[in-house]
Every structure is written in structure tokens, then in C-alpha cells.
Amino acid sequence: MNDKRMCSLALFPPPPAPGDITLYEYNNALVSELGYENLPLTFQGQLENLPALTIPKETLKTHSRLEHSTKPAFIHHRESLWKRCINAWRDIGVAGVLEELANAEEESDLDEETNEQSWVDSAKELVLRWMKTGSRCTLTLCCWVSSLHGSFFPHLSLQKEDMIAKFSQAVDWASCPIRAFAWHPHTSKFAVALLDDSIRVYNANSATVPILKHRLQRNVASMAWKPLCASILAVACHSCVLVWHLDPTSLSTRPSSGCAQVLSHPGHSPITSLAWAPSGGLLLSASPVDTAMLVWDVSTENCIQLQWFGGGGVTYLAWSSEGSKVLAATPSAVFRVWEVQMWTCEKWPTIKGPCRTGCWSPDGSRLLFTVEGESVIYTLSFLEYSGEQKGKVGGSKTASIVADLSETTFETLFGEERIGGEVHSMVWDPSGERLAVIIKGSCDSPKNQTIIAVFRTRNSPVFELLPCGFLRGEDGAQPQLVVFHPCFKKGALLTVCWSTGKISHIPFFFVTAQFPSFTSEQSPLVPLGNRSSAREQPLFSEL
Amino acid sequence: MVSPKHDREWSGFICSWSHLFAFLSIHIFSRIFLQHRISNELILFLQFSILDAFNDLYTSYVIFCILLMSVVIVVINIFIVEFHAVVPSIPCSRLALISKIIHPQQVIHSVAHAVMGMLVAWCAAIMTKGKFLLLSVPCTNTESAPDADLHVCLNEYHLFLLLLGAFMGYSYSLRYLVNNMNYLPFPIIQQYKYLRFRRSLPLLAKHSCVESLYMVRNFCAAYYFFGYIPRTWIITTMNLQTDSKLPLLDTVAGLLDLSLLYHSWLCGLFLLMTWYLAWMLFRIFATEAHHFPVQATFVEEADQCLPKILNSNPPSLLKFLALQDLMFLSQYSSVRRQEVFSLSQPGGHPHNWASISRDCLSLLNDLTQKLIIHQEAAAANGRLKQPPVGDPRQPPTSPGAAAQENLFQSPRSNLIPRAHMPSLVKSSLLPLKTSPVSDLGSNVGSPFSPFPHKSGLIDLSSPWHGSIQSPHIMRRGPKLWTSSSDIPWTSSPYETRPMIPVAKSANEVVPPSHFYIWLQNKKEQLKSFLAKRVLIMYFFSKHPEASIQALFCDTQMHIWALEGLSHLVAASFTEDRYGVVQTTLPAILNTLLTLQEVVDKHFKLPHVSSKPPRTSGNLADTSYKTLRFALRASLKTAIYRITTTFGEHLNAVQVSPEHKKRLQQFLEFKE
């Protein structure tokens, strides 16, 4: 914090008192009240009766069946080795056969009593032994190679669930009742993915709540509604992408699994991130295991692989809202920015760790991102997109730090509070005026909690980032996910999913700078932004 | 003309490229695979092979081989260029497929490929050396020495390889036809050529390996049974002898020669790789996006600008490229969009926009009409399949009723709706065909003038009224079927009712004589007689999926027109300074909504699957099979793109009340 012009947590107003719940922002100040759940009457009409709901963990049925094969239901039956090998070949492939051979036991124990082993039996045994040693050697070699591979890319040695939990945008993906959340881009409709692998779709204008369940819908990491479409939802699952075609006029609460399109590609699982092209049509999917991200033409189920080795996979995708660029984060200390006309990319190595999250300004000219292991927000600016520079991303040479979120102590009336740490996820509202950031507290100090910080932002003529305040939920509720409503007319509307299973909508009432009819910008705070050069750090190398 | 120049340019490009690759691949391939065994030590082998390669380059045989291979590649390229198509031809029945195979053009293709396959195999045999080198070898008989010089024996290995080459060439040609490999699929995203090449290379290699394996297997089977025919022929014509020491190759023992099989496989791999490489390079080069100017800066270039090409009737590849370019410019390039929205310098007419929008709309209207005709045919068919027991008034016992119904199935009766069509088509297209200047001139004052509700009073000079009375709506009068019912034609027996008056009216026009009825009856009997013969049905029965694919085979064009048009309209909300788009907005909306209605109806027909079939990772692109799904999706997206951009302003646009209702649903995101 040697640089005074950089926005830091010390400039924030102190967090709300414990027990207070942040309700809304008005006149540039966050209003929180003690134990008061609803908005004041004057503001209630503004929200178009959005459903605020609570889905407690206890009501969700956890998986009754963990294994998907029917094997455990039957009595163990000893088959001959060849049969087992053939079965393993059918189920798993070559690896299964090798495993089966390596674990093969001597089968001649029945014949041992006869004591008259013919030469056929002994030859059989010899062959079996050879095959056993051979397959064992192959298996160890494979293990060794994969561990070597894993030492380059440590995330590959994780279990699939752990991998999703590590790269998901939800703070506590593994145990929180809400795993993913998605607003429809044009209407007041949202989908919530729950711990029991079901998805519920809530609509402000209808009481029907469709519940989506599918055999392949497991470990939902992310969801996205198709833009320029009434009701198509893409779901990133454990092994595939499911695209649900929901009928918006239907009153059914359980759409059949026939409404879902299954998009799968070998070697592309688990899928942790999805992004639709803002012009409709194309869907991007990414998996931390696959070095290629896939561009799907959903209507025809064709896909094109965008292969780019290095990085070991793709963990997070963010398509800029005007549709010209895509951020693709990898599990290693590098991320890429693709331009979507010719699908070329620029590579940006980071210093400390992998890119954790990122978001685009509404005009696609600025990218904010955070890096694991650092408690700062970086920015990258891009050329204004005109479509004439074909195949060029046009990023600036260096990324600069715009906010320092390292741990800060606030002296409040109720004792001191420590806030700050790494950023887990970050969202920018569609008008480009508010930025919400989930700051993950460090594990060692129990006083430091996960909290949401809100910034006020301005993108033109110069980029400015001003503190706005901290958001607090009920007692003991940790923020899990934050999403901005894509078309809230009176400012911005932040939807927060809490670890208790509560989903609350927090409106920020302001007049957007695009319509400067009346300016009520009486900022109580001194505007502090990074005017020109806020500690420029050489962060990346141009290709 | 622009087009031939373009084509030639491309083929020249491609030839040179594939030459380069072929040349390299031939030599590397021949050195690495055909001569050396895999058991050789790797490093030594690489060093020697490179040295060896240079040494061998000077032997006349190899140079001749390479020249010959170049000639083969050129001929292959000529065939690829000549046979390419952007619209695949899909045979609807097995008979059509057979007639395609015995079509003279295809016969020439097959024979030429067989010959070239033989040449490639000969080259491979030369480069392999060893026992494959020559067709005739001195006999290794254990007879006396002077005798051995006199007798020349047939080298059956060489013959085997040559015949394999011919077989592969022929089956390649057949596959080329059956898999529609001449079809040029346009990729869903734009990429640089090198990246596309790199991306498809592994698939190509894998596919060639597997296919070569299968072809060698098939050839072995064929040779086992028929191998003696060419062998005896060669022996008798060239006066050779058979080597009694070596086993004959049309026996099991002879075919189980591993070295022979391995070399055959390599030879096949070599052939397929070089040919597929040329084919893939052509696809990549031909489908690369091309930049057409919107406005010509010089008079000579006037033929090459986008509105001109869309308006004229160029080769279909050029038209496809122009539409693709329209889609890209509407989506990505604000500068070129400005040119589209601009006014002409003297006069101030929006010629560019008027021409582009008119051509796109006429494309889409054509599709609408095609779909309506198909739906009517399908509805008639579906009705006939329905046993009309549900209709109590008209028990179809008399042969006359059968004849009436048959009217709608026999090809002759198809002429009746077609005969009606042109007048409707004309009425819908007439205003669009009139000069845009007068259209716009008459409406400059009030772009959203009130809409006359009686269709008889429509002012034909205004550009949008024409498509309001689109054939679909117009037909409703005489046809008496309601478009609001979402039930497909065949699902309920009551649907048969509206058709009967039509059949009657058709009868009234041409009163059937007894002879005619008798003739129809006989025809029907003959048909049912033939239908019982399985073999004939096998050849004649139309595959429903194939006929639907054939219906939508050129839909890529319509998808681009839709996307281009909708992006342009959406961009006009902020970029169109003179309001040129506003004047055509009602026409565009009407066309899109009518098409939407028709497409919706199409997907509710029987035999129409609502989901695309699973595609495997096949080398031959089968994207033409799923174009209708892409059309459905992009049509909806296009309408949503316009409605979300304009929002409530669309209420001011004059459209028919029915379309207004539809638009409202789109505005509320309920479609």
C-alpha cells in the first residue's frame, strides 16, 4: 500500500455490524439493518417480485447410489480369466484388460489335487505368468508416465470432484447446497443447480418451478442460458454438456430427459466452464483435463477443437459481452485471450499462479482478472474492436494493478475485524458501474471471513475504481456465488447465494452514466483511481 | 466474368500446394516406410535414409516415379475441382443411388481413379524394390541353366500390387460418391488455413490407416476368388510362365504372406494419404472466407462487389462465399456495414441495402415456398396412409374415391398445386422485383404507413405488402386449413375433412371419364402389385430422412442470409443514419415470421426427427445432414436478435395482426 492512488480496502467504509443484513444501495451508500429481511416498501415495487428463497441443505436428498454399475447388487461370481478380460475390455478398454491380467490369480487350485499336470497346463501357467509380469510392467510404466505428466500439471492427479471444487466459481462447491447459478440474459428467470444434482428454474412471472434431472447430470459446475433464445440452458456436467430445451409456456414441473441434448467428446471431462457466444449459436466448453476447448454448434451437435498445448487444460471461460473476445484461464500460470473472428489467441504468463477469475467491461475493452496466491486485482486494456484488424487480439503490453485487497483491520464498535485476502470470484454489472468481488479469508485466522466487497467503477474516459462497501448476510452465512442481473433497469441487481442455501437479491439504485439526465453523484468519498500509471508490473510477455 | 478467374486461381493455388506436399510426402514416405523395415535401428536408419534418399534421387526410375506421381496428383486435383459442389446431391432411393453410380460422369471418374490407383501402386512397387520391382522375373525353376534364361516368369506380387492400386482407386471413387465427399462443408468458425490443416491432419492419418486396412482385406477376398482371371490373362497375352516354386497368391497360403500384406497396406496408405491430402487442401482453400467489396471504387470492379454477385447467378461456390462474406461483414465490420447503409452519391438512393435485402429476402421466400410445397405433398401422403374410417360421411368404398385420393399422390396431380403456385409466387415477389428506387420513393414520406386490411386493396408498389400476402397466407383461402392448429396433418382423422372439398373441386375442374377412372384403378392395382414385390420396393422406396435432407441441402445459404440480414438490421438500430433499413423492416419481419411458421410446421410433420443424429468422427463431413436443425436454430436467433434490439419500437411496425401476435411472443421470450 505504498501507492496512495491505488484502491485498497483501507479506503472502504467499515463493514456492517454483526447481525446486520445488507439490503440495498441508495445515494451511494449501502444500507443494512438488523435482522430486517425485506426491502422498505418504497423499493419493493422496483424488484418485480423476484423470488428470494432458501434451499436448506437438509431438504436435499443426497445421492442414493454412488456407483452407477449394477455390479454390487449381485453375488460375486467367479468367471474365467478370459471372460473377465473380455468384460474389462468392453467396460474400460485396454487399461482394464491389463489390470485384470495383473491381478489374475493362479487358477489351477482346483486341479491341484489331481497332481497330474499335463504339459498343456504347465504351458498355460507359464503363459499366464508371462502375461502377468508383462501387464504389471506396462501398468507401472503407465503409472510412472502419468505421474511424470502429473508433476508438470499437478491438477491432473486430483479426483474429478476435487478438480471441479478447485476450479469452480463457487466458494465451497463440494458442500454448499447451491453449486451454480445463472440468470437468463433477457428475462427475470434464473436456474439454480443444487447439491443433489438437480436444477430448478425460477421465473419471476410464473409460479411453476421446473426441476431438471438427468441420468448424466452429475457434479454441475456451471450453467449458462443461451442468449437470444427463450429457454435453452447449457449445463456443464461431470462427463458431458447437457443442453436443456425448455418450453417457456409449458406448465410441467418435470421436463423429461428427452428435452436434453447431450454433447460429449472423448477426453473432455469434467467440464468446469461454459460460455455462449453473445450472438447465440456457438457454445464454448472447457475442461481442466483437456488442452483443447471445444466450440459447439449446438443445433447440429458438431464441435471444433481449439487445440493449444501448454497450460494443461482450460478452467474458466469468460466471453466479453459485446462478443469479440474470450478469456480462457488454465490451471498453470498462464492464461489466454482469444479473439473470436479468426480464433487466434494471445498468451499471458502470470508470475505467481494461475488466473482464478476474470470479467470483461461491457464494451470488451478492459479485462479485470485475479491470480491465485495474490490479493490484488489486475487490469488489461484492449484496443477498441472495430473488426478491421483481423486475427489480432490487441492487448496492451502490461497488466496493471488496480486494487489491493490485502488484509486490513477495521476498528468498529463491536471490536476489530480483519478483512482481505485472495479473490475467489468477481463479477461486473452489465452497465459497468459496479464490481462485486468475493474475498476469501485466510484459513488460519478465524476472524477473517469470506466477504463480498463492492466497488464503483467507471470505464470511460479513464478507468476508475472506487470503494463502495462490504455486503453482509445473515449470521454465519458465507457468500457462495455472486451474479449480476443482466437487465435490471434501475441500476444493478446483485444476486448472492449464501452457504446457508439462501438466495438474496441486493439492488443498487443509481442512475447509469449512459443516461446522465440527472446526476446525483454526490460522492462521500474522494475519487481515487489509477489515473495514469499505478505501479505497472511487467506481468506478461507478448507472443 | 469473375467466377472462372476465381476458380482457376484457386485450383492453381491448390495444385501447387498439394504438389509441394505430395512431393515431400512421396519421398519421405517411400524412404521411410516402403523400403526399410521397422526393425532397423532408428537413428542409424534416419541418417541413412536421408543420405540414401539423396543418392536415390538420381536414379532415373525414382525421378520418373516422382514425375508420374505429380501427374497423378494433378489429375486428381482436376477431378476434385471439377466435381466439387457446395450443394450435395442426395439420392432419395436406392435406385437413384444406382443411377448415380452408372452415370457416365461417375464412370469416367471411377475408371480414371482406378487407372491412377494403378499408377500409384506401380510407383510404390518401384520404390519398394525387392520382390515387387518388376512384372516379369526370370524363373527360379530347378531346370537346366540355359533353359532358365529362356523362360520369363510372372511376378505375381507385382501384379497383386497393381491390381490392389486399381481396386483402391475404384473404391475411393465409389466412396467419394456415396459419402458425398465432393461436398464442400463450410466450417462453423473461421480459422487460418494452417490451423485448419493442422487440426484435420491427425484425423486424416488415422482415417487413411484404417481405411487402407479395410480395403486390403476386401481386396484379398476379391483376389482369392477372382485373382486367377487377370493372372491367366496376363500370362497368355505376355507369354509368361508361372513360377512353380512360389505359391500362387489366390490361395490361402499365398495370401498369408505377412510381407505382402504389410506392403499392400503401406501402398494403400500411401495412395489414400496423398489423395486425401489433395482433397483436404482443396476443401480448406475453397471454403476460406473471401472478402468482397461492398462498393466498387473503380468501374472495372463493379462485377465483383457483393450486391452484384448476390443479384446475379454466379457459380454456386461464389454465391456461397458472397453470402458468407455478408454474414461476416454484418457481424464484425462496422466500416463495411456503413457502406451497406450508405446512400448513393448522386441521387441519394440506398442501392446497396436495397439490393442486398431484396436478394436475401427472395432467397428466404423461395425456401418458404419450397417448404410449403413439400408440406402439402407430405400432408397428402400422410392422409392417404390414414385409414379414413374416422370420417363417417365419406366411406371410401367406391373406386372413384380411391382415384380421387390418388390424385394427390400421383405425380400428375402434383401439377395442380404447382399450377397455382406461379401466380401466388408472382404476387408475392412482384413488388420485390420492381425497382427499389420507385419502391423507396413512394414510401419515403411514411415508412410505417397504415396497413390496408383488405388484401384486395393492397398497394402493390409498397415493398412490404407483397410479402404480407405471402403464398402461405394466400393459400389459406382455397385450402381451408387453419394454420393455428398445431396438430400435424396425420394425427387426427378429422384433419381429412378439409382436404375432401379440395379433391372435389379438383374433380369439378376436370370431370373424370369412366376410362380415366378405370385407368387410375389399373394403375393403383399395378402399384399395389408391385409394392408387394420386396425387391422392387427395396429399390424404389424413398427413404424419408434422405428426402428431407435433399429438401434442405442448400440451406447453408439461407442460414447465412438470415444471419447477415438480422445482424444488419440489429446494427441499423444504432448505425443506420439515414433510416434506410426502416423501410424494409416490415418486409423482413414478415418473411422471417412466415418462414418461422413454415419451419415449425415442418418439424411437426411425421417422419421428421426433432434431434440431429449422432455423428461420429468421420473424415467425410456430414454436416449437410443436419442443416435443417441449424436453420431452425438460426431462424429463431435471428428473430430474437431483431426483437431484442428494437424492443417496444416494433409495435410501430406495420405487420399483419397474426404476425403481431407472434412478435409479441418473441418480445416476451415465449417462443
Side-chain angles (χ1 to χ4, degrees), chain A residues 186-187 228-230 258 260 262 279 282 297 299-301 304-306 340-344 386-388 390-391, chain B residues 188-192 198-199 331-335 611-612 614 626 629-630 633 637 640-641 644 669-671:
Chain A
H186 308 289
T187 56
L228 300 179
C229 189
V262 182
S279 59
L282 299 180
D297 181 3
S299 56
T300 61
E301 300 189 4
I304 287 183
Q305 287 185 302
L306 288 176
V340 303
Q341 197 181 354
M342 294 304 290
W343 289 98
T344 52
S386 69
E388 299 316 306
K390 223 176 171 185
Chain B
I188 54 173
I189 56 171
Q190 241 187 322
Q191 263 186 311
Y192 285 112
R198 199 185 68 175
R199 203 184 58 209
Q331 205 168 348
Y332 296 118
S333 172
S334 60
V335 178
K611 273 186 180 179
R614 299 293 299 170
T626 50
F629 303 104
T637 310
Y640 269 119
R641 190 170 291 134
T644 45
F669 286 91
K670 285 197 172 154
E671 262 302 313

